[in-house]
Every structure is written in structure tokens, then in C-alpha cells.
Amino acid sequence: MLETSEHLFEYDKNFNQIIIGTDEAGRGPGAGGVFAAAVCFDKVTKGLINDLSILNDSKKLTPKKRDSIFDVIKDNSFHKIVCVEVEEIERINILNSSLKAMNIACSDVYKQLFASGNTNILTLVDGNKLIKNYEYPQQYIIKGDATSASIARASILAKVSRDRYMERLDSEYPVYNWRKNAGYLTAEHLKAIDKYGLSPYHRPSFLKKHFANTKAIVLNVQT
């Protein structure tokens, strides 16, 4: 895995700029907020590359491996993690919410870097969309979480942060088993919704098709 980590870092190095990487987690689930993280290592050493030897797209790592490097990333980077909650997702839609979270996170890291005397900064965005209303230079990278070290790092921070957030919500609403399904609309999750109704953390717009043949949606389930 060290070879993969070195390759990802080399990709960023070839830009000859300070790189901020950003990625999101939680666009697909039917419950919970959407997270975005922005990460920049202004100093990359061989020791750091070795410490992050399992670095890869967060979806390709087990939860245990993601957790094992979460603090390494945070402790050695400029970073910001942002959550846009369900109310905002329902108001402006999930794509705009994801981009808003990225904008807030990346703008914060950019300002941290600028305050430290760095000016030649480029933001790499995972996917095929640029961040709306972002004031700084940016470039999108399709499948960036498997291409760029900075995006892969952001992917891990966003994913781990959201998983931990869903675990906290699970303790409040255990009937949906969010600790296991992370809010994705699995058969088990949908069955629980049919039985108990929707919680305040569900995204009603994501469940329109499911409820198309029902007369009402029960809100604010009590457990």
C-alpha cells in the first residue's frame, strides 16, 4: 500500500502548488446531514507518507483502517470538517448542500494557509462539479479520491466524521440501526420507517417514492 500512498502524493506534488483537497460523505443516505472535509499538508515528509501508507479512497478502506489514520491526518494538516444538516438539505437540495459544505470547509483552510504566508494555493474538488461561489482557484478531479492524496485524505475525514455522527444519532433513535446502515435506505431501514415513521433526521425528499402509495408520513417518531 505504500506504493499507492506515494503515487497519490506524487500526483499532488506535480501541480507545483499548495494543494487543498476536498470531498464529501453522505450524499446518498436518506437520513442525517452531509459532510465535507478540506485538507492540506503544507509539509509532506517520508515519515508522513509512511504513516499514511494505507491512504486510499475511503470507500476502499475498512472502518478500522479509516479510524487508524483519522488522527494522523488531523494532527499533520490544515483541515476543516463541515456538516450541512437535513433542514438545509431539504431547502436547497443535496447537491447544493454538498457544495456548500465544501465551500465552507475549503474557504476555512484557504484562510488558514494564507494567514501562514502561503499564496500559491489550488483547491482540488472530487467529482465533476466546481464549488459554487468559491472565491479561490479550483479544479475538479473525477475519481479524485483515488487519484489525489489531498482528496483521499479529505475523503477519510469526511467519512469517519459522518459515521461517528450517525452512531451518535443511532443512540437517540436506535430503531433505524443507523450505526450499521449509516442512514442508507436499506431494506431493514425502510421496514423500520414503515413501522415507526420518520425521525427529525430523515430527509423526506429522499423518501417520496417510498411513500408514493401511502396516505401520510408519520413525523417525529418517539422511541
Side-chain angles (χ1 to χ4, degrees), residues 45-92:
T45 64
K46 290 183 178 180
L48 182 61
I49 293 173
N50 186 65
D51 288 343
L52 297 175
S53 60
I54 64 171
L55 184 63
N56 207 330
D57 171 10
S58 66
K59 294 183 290 295
K60 297 179 180 179
L61 299 179
T62 64
K64 185 176 181 179
K65 287 184 177 180
R66 287 195 295 265
D67 281 335
S68 73
I69 59 175
F70 181 81
D71 288 334
V72 176
I73 295 169
K74 289 184 66 178
D75 292 344
N76 291 278
S77 69
F78 294 92
H79 63 272
K80 181 70 174 180
I81 304 166
V82 172
C83 174
V84 171
E85 293 284 5
V86 170
E87 182 178 355
E88 188 79 349
I89 292 171
E90 292 296 293
R91 189 176 70 84
I92 65 175

Side-chain angles (χ1 to χ4, degrees), residues 55-194:
L55 184 63
N56 207 330
D57 171 10
S58 66
K59 294 183 290 295
K60 297 179 180 179
L61 299 179
T62 64
K64 185 176 181 179
K65 287 184 177 180
R66 287 195 295 265
D67 281 335
S68 73
I69 59 175
F70 181 81
D71 288 334
V72 176
I73 295 169
K74 289 184 66 178
D75 292 344
N76 291 278
S77 69
F78 294 92
H79 63 272
K80 181 70 174 180
I81 304 166
V82 172
C83 174
V84 171
E85 293 284 5
V86 170
E87 182 178 355
E88 188 79 349
I89 292 171
E90 292 296 293
R91 189 176 70 84
I92 65 175
N93 77 44
I94 187 60
L95 175 59
N96 287 329
S97 296
S98 299
L99 295 175
K100 179 177 181 177
M102 286 182 173
N103 194 334
I104 296 170
C106 292
S107 296
D108 184 277
V109 172
Y110 190 99
K111 290 171 184 175
Q112 291 181 54
L113 290 166
F114 191 83
S116 299
N118 299 292
T119 56
N120 187 23
I121 305 166
L122 175 65
T123 299
L124 299 182
V125 184
D126 183 60
N128 61 357
K129 305 284 185 185
L130 293 175
I131 301 172
K132 292 182 179 179
N133 303 315
Y134 187 60
E135 299 178 2
Y136 311 109
Q138 61 176 314
Q139 177 177 329
Y140 67 74
I141 306 293
I142 296 173
K143 296 184 179 180
D145 46 8
T147 306
S148 159
S150 56
I151 294 176
R153 295 191 295 266
S155 173
I156 290 166
L157 291 194
K159 175 63 175 170
V160 172
S161 296
R162 189 177 191 279
D163 285 348
R164 293 176 179 179
Y165 157 93
M166 292 305 297
E167 289 174 2
R168 292 195 298 273
L169 297 189
D170 178 82
S171 65
E172 188 175 350
Y173 291 95
V175 295
Y176 303 109
N177 202 11
W178 288 333
R179 182 177 297 273
K180 179 180 178 182
N181 62 48
Y184 282 92
L185 297 174
T186 62
E188 177 192 35
H189 189 181
L190 290 171
K191 185 176 180 179
I193 290 171
D194 289 339

